[in-house]
Amino acid sequence: MKSYRKELWFHTSTRRAFVNITGEVEEALHESGITEGFCLVNAMHITASVFINDEESGLHQDYEHWLEQLAPHEPLNHYAHNRTGEDNGDAHLKRQIMGRSVVAAVTGARLDFGPWEQIFYGEFDGRRDKRVLVKIIGE
Amino acid sequence: MKSYRKELWFHTSTRRAFVNITGEVEEALHESGITEGFCLVNAMHITASVFINDEESGLHQDYEHWLEQLAPHEPLNHYAHNRTGEDNGDAHLKRQIMGRSVVAAVTGARLDFGPWEQIFYGEFDGRRDKRVLVKIIGE
Amino acid sequence: MKSYRKELWFHTSTRRAFVNITGEVEEALHESGITEGFCLVNAMHITASVFINDEESGLHQDYEHWLEQLAPHEPLNHYAHNRTGEDNGDAHLKRQIMGRSVVAAVTGARLDFGPWEQIFYGEFDGRRDKRVLVKIIGE
């Protein structure tokens, strides 16, 4: 069994953002030399997500609007977590909706995806350095 | 390490549906000959889910009702995504709640499940051909 | 390829609870002797979750409050599932938000985690014996 590990770094200029990282994950897969196996991609921070959906700007607006409805950033004192001095209580909730990680199949040295599947980094508490882990196992 | 890949196809007669696919995944596992490892089952479309829960019709009604509350299909113009000409903005949101995929342990050539665990395909934009990927790795 | 399997048992005194199980998963990983691979941790029951987030009591209060808003326990007759004689319709919904399982990378014989990542068992229908599966594959 072979394994490969790589970190991707992000620093978004806004508090919340969606970044298409499919190309970076494909690059890691190419570097790994693995042709059959599983590829795990996960946020290493607990106020961010990795998920698979569509590269379509209207949809990303819909996610932004919907997540703000389900877990609004303000008022800050709505969240017990913010009593610690943080202002990211909402981000910990949003991340649960969108998920921590993706496991993708690797077949024939490629991500085994349907026609519209793209991998996104979902940032809910940005404006600082944060990491995503890519770990691939197989042969 | 061995690996095995199979596609399952679905075409539901309704826009939304839950289909128990546990038997089909068990069949794929049997075909694989793998006795210890991991089994990934994922929707290859971004308006559908694969998830594990209970085979109970009342619960499925509850999911349907709840998801319509959280992300209603109408009004269509509520979703920026629908400006592309699609009418499935809600389906992309529902799928995030229910999840894209399941990773199940394989032990002794069986899905290593608790007593009530069943795998479902969750369709949120049906009435056309759609696929689920089963990928199993192990030995 | 090596594989290792362990069950963790829980019996919470309250209906809902969050239990930090990171130490128990690390112990299972140590017992496995696996240094590179993937570690799957999943609830074997369909009214419980395994998820990764922060060990912070205010945040856990926020999760409790938020999940009760999204899928309140009462009124019991709000859920078709409860017509079966159960009173846990809400728990099946809460578990979908928080997720069934976690897949963690194993690197250098350790859980390959960011600085704040901790694994939690989320109970939504407790006061009875319930199980979590830890399955590790790799070498």
Side-chain angles (χ1 to χ4, degrees):
Chain A
M1 199 200 77
K2 291 163 79 171
S3 68
Y4 183 77
R5 178 193 197 275
K6 187 176 191 177
E7 288 180 7
L8 311 178
W9 286 81
F10 300 92
H11 187 123
T12 64
S13 60
T14 49
R15 181 183 299 275
R16 291 189 293 275
F18 298 118
V19 183
N20 190 330
I21 62 174
T22 314
E24 290 176 81
V25 176
E26 285 171 338
E27 195 179 315
L29 177 55
H30 182 72
E31 291 160 6
S32 75
I34 290 170
T35 55
E36 295 290 322
F38 282 0
C39 174
L40 169 71
V41 188
N42 70 261
M44 300 186 79
H45 297 259
I46 52 192
T47 51
S49 287
V50 172
F51 66 96
I52 287 177
N53 218 296
D54 196 2
E55 174 62 85
E56 199 280 299
S57 61
L59 177 64
H60 298 181
Q61 286 174 47
D62 291 334
Y63 280 137
E64 161 66 14
H65 178 72
W66 184 58
L67 293 168
E68 263 297 284
Q69 273 191 312
L70 292 178
H73 180 62
E74 295 187 321
L76 294 181
N77 67 8
H78 180 67
Y79 299 99
H81 180 60
N82 289 341
R83 288 181 209 143
T84 60
E86 300 274 6
D87 67 354
N88 62 11
D90 65 306
H92 290 271
L93 278 56
K94 288 172 167 118
R95 119 73 169 252
Q96 291 305 123
I97 297 280
M98 299 304 278
R100 169 191 180 248
S101 69
V102 157
V103 177
V106 175
T107 303
R110 306 191 70 155
L111 296 174
D112 196 337
F113 274 177
W116 302 103
E117 290 190 283
Q118 295 284 307
I119 309 174
F120 290 90
Y121 174 66
E123 176 62 82
F124 306 114
D125 183 33
R127 300 182 293 196
R128 54 197 174 98
D129 292 342
K130 293 172 82 172
R131 283 179 293 162
V132 162
L133 177 64
V134 181
K135 180 95 181 187
I136 310 167
I137 67 170
E139 61 181 15
Chain B
M1 199 200 76
K2 291 164 78 172
S3 68
Y4 184 77
R5 178 193 195 275
K6 188 177 191 178
E7 288 181 7
L8 311 177
W9 285 80
F10 300 92
H11 188 123
T12 64
S13 60
T14 49
R15 182 184 298 277
R16 291 189 293 275
F18 297 118
V19 183
N20 190 329
I21 62 173
T22 315
E24 290 177 81
V25 176
E26 285 170 338
E27 197 179 313
L29 177 55
H30 182 72
E31 290 159 7
S32 76
I34 290 170
T35 56
E36 295 291 323
F38 282 0
C39 175
L40 170 70
V41 189
N42 69 262
M44 299 185 80
H45 297 260
I46 52 193
T47 51
S49 288
V50 172
F51 66 97
I52 287 177
N53 218 296
D54 197 359
E55 174 61 86
E56 200 280 299
S57 61
L59 177 64
H60 298 180
Q61 286 175 46
D62 292 335
Y63 281 136
E64 161 66 13
H65 178 72
W66 183 58
L67 292 168
E68 264 296 286
Q69 274 192 311
L70 292 178
H73 179 63
E74 294 186 322
L76 294 180
N77 67 8
H78 180 67
Y79 299 99
H81 180 59
N82 289 341
R83 287 181 210 144
T84 61
E86 300 274 6
D87 67 353
N88 62 10
D90 64 307
H92 290 272
L93 277 56
K94 288 172 167 119
R95 118 73 169 255
Q96 292 305 122
I97 297 280
M98 299 305 277
R100 169 190 180 250
S101 70
V102 156
V103 177
V106 174
T107 303
R110 307 191 69 156
L111 296 174
D112 197 337
F113 273 178
W116 302 103
E117 290 189 282
Q118 296 283 308
I119 309 175
F120 290 90
Y121 174 66
E123 176 62 82
F124 306 115
D125 183 33
R127 301 183 294 194
R128 53 197 174 99
D129 292 342
K130 292 171 83 173
R131 284 178 293 162
V132 161
L133 177 66
V134 182
K135 180 96 182 187
I136 310 167
I137 66 170
E139 59 180 17
Chain C
M1 198 201 75
K2 291 163 79 171
S3 68
Y4 184 77
R5 179 195 195 273
K6 188 178 191 177
E7 288 181 6
L8 310 178
W9 285 80
F10 300 92
H11 188 123
T12 64
S13 60
T14 49
R15 181 183 299 275
R16 292 189 293 275
F18 297 117
V19 183
N20 190 329
I21 62 174
T22 315
E24 290 177 81
V25 177
E26 285 171 339
E27 198 179 312
L29 177 55
H30 182 72
E31 291 159 6
S32 75
I34 289 170
T35 56
E36 294 291 322
F38 282 0
C39 175
L40 169 69
V41 189
N42 71 261
M44 299 185 80
H45 297 259
I46 52 194
T47 51
S49 288
V50 171
F51 66 96
I52 288 176
N53 218 295
D54 196 1
E55 174 62 85
E56 199 280 300
S57 61
L59 176 64
H60 299 181
Q61 285 174 47
D62 292 334
Y63 281 136
E64 160 66 13
H65 177 71
W66 184 57
L67 293 168
E68 264 297 284
Q69 274 192 312
L70 292 178
H73 180 62
E74 295 186 321
L76 294 181
N77 67 9
H78 180 67
Y79 299 99
H81 180 59
N82 288 342
R83 289 180 209 144
T84 61
E86 300 274 5
D87 67 352
N88 62 11
D90 64 308
H92 290 271
L93 278 56
K94 288 173 167 119
R95 120 70 170 257
Q96 291 306 121
I97 297 279
M98 298 304 277
R100 169 190 180 249
S101 70
V102 156
V103 177
V106 175
T107 302
R110 308 192 69 155
L111 296 174
D112 196 337
F113 273 177
W116 302 103
E117 289 189 282
Q118 296 283 307
I119 309 175
F120 289 90
Y121 174 66
E123 176 62 83
F124 307 115
D125 184 32
R127 299 181 295 195
R128 54 197 174 98
D129 292 343
K130 291 172 83 172
R131 283 178 293 164
V132 161
L133 177 65
V134 182
K135 180 95 182 188
I136 310 166
I137 67 171
E139 58 180 19

